[in-house]
Amino acid sequence: MGRFTLPRDLYHGKGSLAELKNLKGKRAILVLGGGSMKRFGFVDKAVGYLEEAGMEVRLFENVEPDPSVETVMKGAAAMREFQPDWIVSMGGGSPIDAAKAMWVFYEYPDTTFEEIIRPFSFPTLRTKAKFCAIPSTSGTATEVTAFSVITDYAQGIKYPLADFNITPDVAIVDPELAETMPPKLTAHTGMDAMTHAIEAYVSTLHCNYTDPLALHAIKLIHENLKKSYDGDMAARDTMHDAQCLAGMAFSNALLGIVHSMAHKTGAAYTGGHIIHGAANAMYLPKVIKYNSSVPEAAERYAQIARFIGLKGETTAELVDALIAELRHMNNELNIPLAIKNYGEGGVIADKSIIDEKEFLDKLEQVAKLAISDACTGSNPRQPSVEEMKKLLLAVYYDKEIDF
């Protein structure tokens, strides 16, 4: 038996932020990131709409990129003090992911973080509040997913939390918010969305309900990401829809080891973070090559290549064409092809911020953690520790893989 879960209501298109005034409740807490939504006037609009709905509003601001366990606990404490019946989060994936985790500890103060790390182990939510998510970036699609990624900085690990309980009740996908993204963020979030769609399409849990969403998202992203990066706002608006479609697919089909690797390398090194979208973009071509030894996966990659108009006579040629096209997209978007060229902020550089010796010293541990990641189970090929180490080395040096 399969399951397909989405928000109860999804409002999309320019001006859809105004749907906040139709929420029914007494108190709403608005969880926000670093301030861009305030600078562009969207926070004032959101507060005005919520107050028009008759609600008292409180802000919880400054959720950091790659939100921490500590921020989650602080937000949950603020919620317990304010007692909202709506949790509304607006911004990139970080504040929305953080707010999802806060929701759990608001409703269940005695729950520990360790108890919810195991996938699909959350207690039943909505005993105190409902959840509304409003994305400002076009990548994570956390507004429609059953996932949240929280970082334990003490251990240097990103935890992907997974449970259908944290799928939002309401998603508002208003492209006006995404039009504020700078080019680098547009590139990274766009390739994150591309990875979501491709991994969902080849996941062992893909189905007739997720396949069309994944394929159409891939096509829209392929056609619009570079134009969006270059400042075409019509393309930017289409990308906001495309990332949401990709999210609908992967929330129900799950993901694969591109995300396992990105989760476990993201916060592992002292030189700096590997930005999630950039990590996915770097790792995806290598993982496609690795997975393509499984005939069913290879055929599905070939189907993607045909669907976006790539050329090839055989399945192998089409898989290689897809890999080449993704590498070409990375080059166009100034995203490195190898960790050895990963510069500050995730752009191409001659020298990486990730020290080679530290990378090699931590290789065994990172490989083991990646295999244990929640996303590994639905990958079409299950790697050994040695294979994962080879994959990680391949993405550090951008070298061919021999398995």
Side-chain angles (χ1 to χ4, degrees), residues 317-336:
E317 288 175 356
L318 286 162
V319 171
D320 287 343
L322 178 60
I323 291 169
E325 182 63 10
L326 291 167
R327 288 171 63 86
H328 171 68
M329 290 179 70
N330 284 350
N331 282 328
E332 286 193 316
L333 300 168
N334 196 29
I335 297 175

Side-chain angles (χ1 to χ4, degrees), residues 7-11 17 19-32 46-47 49-60 75-76 78-90 99-100 102-104 106-107 125-134 143 165-172:
R8 171 67 178 81
D9 291 297
L10 192 156
Y11 300 98
L17 184 65
E19 281 300 322
L20 286 174
K21 64 187 177 185
N22 294 320
L23 299 184
K24 307 297 183 187
K26 294 180 180 179
R27 287 179 296 278
I29 190 165
L30 185 55
V31 180
L32 304 163
V47 170
Y49 291 139
L50 290 166
E51 289 177 342
E52 192 176 337
M55 287 193 248
E56 181 185 353
V57 182
R58 181 171 296 184
L59 305 185
F60 184 88
M79 290 177 186
R80 289 194 294 271
E81 192 257 328
F82 182 56
Q83 291 292 304
D85 45 20
W86 274 101
I87 299 167
V88 180
S89 188
M90 179 167 64
K100 286 179 174 180
M102 292 171 191
W103 190 13
V104 182
Y106 166 43
E107 298 203 359
L125 295 179
R126 297 167 181 81
T127 62
K128 294 182 180 179
K130 292 183 178 179
F131 194 100
C132 174
I134 310 164
E143 73 276 5
N165 267 289
I166 56 171
T167 304
D169 298 279
V170 175
I172 296 176

Side-chain angles (χ1 to χ4, degrees), residues 30-36 38 59-65 71 74 95:
L30 185 55
V31 180
L32 304 163
S36 64
K38 182 173 281 188
L59 305 185
F60 184 88
E61 302 181 78
N62 300 314
V63 173
E64 72 273 42
T71 294
K74 188 184 299 183

Side-chain angles (χ1 to χ4, degrees), residues 108-306:
Y108 295 91
D110 295 331
T111 297
T112 65
F113 192 78
E114 288 70 26
E115 288 178 277
I116 63 170
I117 291 172
R118 185 168 54 85
F120 303 99
S121 61
F122 281 46
T124 299
L125 295 179
R126 297 167 181 81
T127 62
K128 294 182 180 179
K130 292 183 178 179
F131 194 100
C132 174
I134 310 164
S136 65
T137 60
S138 301
T140 68
T142 189
E143 73 276 5
V144 293
T145 75
F147 299 97
S148 165
V149 180
I150 305 299
T151 301
D152 184 334
Y153 286 92
Q155 298 190 53
I157 298 173
K158 287 188 176 184
Y159 291 111
L161 307 180
D163 197 285
F164 288 114
N165 267 289
I166 56 171
T167 304
D169 298 279
V170 175
I172 296 176
V173 186
D174 189 331
E176 289 183 350
L177 280 69
E179 290 180 3
T180 65
M181 287 192 298
K184 184 168 66 176
L185 184 59
T186 300
H188 292 160
T189 55
M191 288 306 292
D192 188 19
M194 178 65 95
T195 306
H196 291 156
I198 291 176
E199 288 210 292
Y201 194 70
V202 300
S203 162
T204 57
L205 295 176
H206 76 85
C207 66
N208 290 335
Y209 294 85
T210 60
D211 282 353
L213 292 165
L215 271 182
H216 191 54
I218 292 165
K219 183 175 175 61
L220 290 178
I221 295 164
H222 183 243
E223 292 175 349
N224 288 280
L225 178 52
K226 178 57 165 60
K227 290 186 286 187
S228 175
Y229 176 74
D230 290 338
D232 181 331
M233 288 304 157
R236 182 77 56 86
D237 294 354
T238 299
M239 279 296 304
H240 210 43
D241 287 339
Q243 65 87 30
C244 188
L245 295 172
M248 293 178 191
F250 90 78
S251 186
N252 292 281
L254 305 187
L255 292 163
I257 59 171
V258 177
H259 273 77
S260 302
M261 295 162 67
H263 291 151
K264 297 320 186 229
T265 56
Y269 309 108
T270 57
H273 275 62
I274 302 178
I275 295 168
H276 181 71
N280 283 337
M282 287 190 289
Y283 306 168
L284 181 59
K286 300 300 184 190
V287 169
I288 290 174
K289 191 68 174 177
Y290 171 77
N291 285 342
S292 66
S293 66
V294 177
E296 182 184 351
E299 179 51 37
R300 292 186 74 77
Y301 289 130
Q303 289 168 11
I304 292 170
R306 291 188 197 98

